[in-house]
Amino acid sequence: CDSLEEAQQLCFDRGERVKVVTLRGHVISKSGAMTGGSSSSSSPSSTDRWQEKDLEVLRKRKSVLTEQLAGEGAGEGAVGGGSGRQQLVDMDHRIRALNSKIQFSEVDKQVATEKVTAAQQQISLKGEAVKKLSKELAGLTSEASKLQARLAQLQQ
């Protein structure tokens, strides 16, 4: 409530039991007990002075942190630019793109490995066929030599 009078009306005139707190710190509990509140003297209280000192310390700290953040932002502008959040988003996109490239590369590697394996099997089979044909050629060459020698004998 804005004032103690409003708080009292709310608590006592309505017939409902509620706890009410005013802007000045007065508390009226459900039982009707009243506590707290601020002093009405014109001089600031000791708590006001402490709060003012704390507030000044916090303002100075905020100023220092703001300057540091501005300095870091200027340094980042040369490298990547943008806010920290935007840099994180950009890095996330890059990571996703690189992960996709890795997945495609792994699939390509697997396909290439399968092709190499198939080619090696073909080479092995062709090698065996070449050996077989070489033996057959050697036998036929030997037989041709014998036939030429016999032909030469018959021609004489």
Side-chain angles (χ1 to χ4, degrees):
C1 294
D2 290 331
S3 67
L4 182 59
E5 290 78 24
E6 282 182 32
Q8 288 172 336
Q9 285 177 353
L10 188 63
C11 286
F12 303 122
D13 293 345
R14 289 185 143 183
E16 293 181 35
R17 294 192 176 262
V18 292
K19 180 177 181 179
V20 178
V21 179
T22 66
L23 293 176
R24 293 192 170 249
H26 293 95
V27 177
I28 304 175
S29 67
K30 289 181 180 183
S31 67
M34 295 175 57
T35 60
S38 60
S39 63
S40 61
S41 66
S42 61
S43 64
S45 67
S46 63
T47 57
D48 290 338
R49 285 191 296 259
W50 281 107
Q51 288 175 353
E52 196 61 38
K53 288 180 184 177
D54 290 342
L55 184 60
E56 186 59 32
V57 168
L58 291 174
R59 284 182 181 150
K60 287 180 183 177
R61 179 77 176 138
K62 177 188 170 202
S63 174
V64 168
L65 291 174
T66 304
E67 289 174 13
Q68 286 177 350
L69 185 60
E72 288 175 6
E76 291 171 356
V79 176
S83 68
R85 181 177 301 275
Q86 184 61 42
Q87 284 181 339
L88 288 175
V89 169
D90 291 344
M91 291 175 78
D92 185 52
H93 289 300
R94 287 184 196 144
I95 288 170
R96 289 175 193 245
L98 290 173
N99 282 335
S100 293
K101 285 183 181 181
I102 288 170
Q103 288 175 347
F104 287 124
S105 296
E106 287 174 349
V107 169
D108 289 344
K109 178 185 171 188
Q110 184 178 2
V111 169
T113 302
E114 290 171 359
K115 286 182 179 180
V116 167
T117 302
Q120 288 174 337
Q121 289 174 347
Q122 288 294 322
I123 290 170
S124 176
L125 291 174
K126 300 291 181 186
E128 291 174 11
V130 167
K131 285 181 186 178
K132 188 177 181 182
L133 290 174
S134 293
K135 287 180 184 178
E136 191 176 325
L137 179 63
L140 290 174
T141 304
S142 173
E143 191 175 325
S145 293
K146 288 179 187 176
L147 288 174
Q148 281 180 344
R150 183 161 169 123
L151 180 64
Q153 280 178 351
L154 289 174
Q155 285 178 349
Q156 287 180 356

